[in-house]
Amino acid sequence: MSRHFASPLARWGFTVCATVALLTAQPGPFLVTTVCAAYAWRCRPRRTRRR
């Protein structure tokens, strides 16, 4: 499941959903989408340094 959260669409999509839920004063969806957005940003692929 984490590879689905690793896409840029998931990162930015959940972030936008959390922002919209915050602006429309919906605490339940805001909390859920904030957790999903945080997880999506945390499991993004890391760039490796080339030597």
Side-chain angles (χ1 to χ4, degrees):
M1 181 70 118
S2 67
R3 75 183 163 127
H4 298 295
F5 280 94
S7 73
L9 180 62
R11 289 193 299 268
W12 290 107
F14 282 120
T15 303
V16 168
C17 286
T19 305
V20 168
L22 177 67
L23 293 175
T24 57
Q26 299 178 7
F30 171 70
L31 293 175
V32 171
T33 54
T34 301
V35 169
C36 290
Y39 181 70
W41 281 100
R42 182 171 168 80
C43 71
R44 70 179 184 259
R46 305 282 185 211
R47 293 186 180 190
T48 57
R49 277 181 76 180
R50 291 188 177 183
R51 293 182 181 198

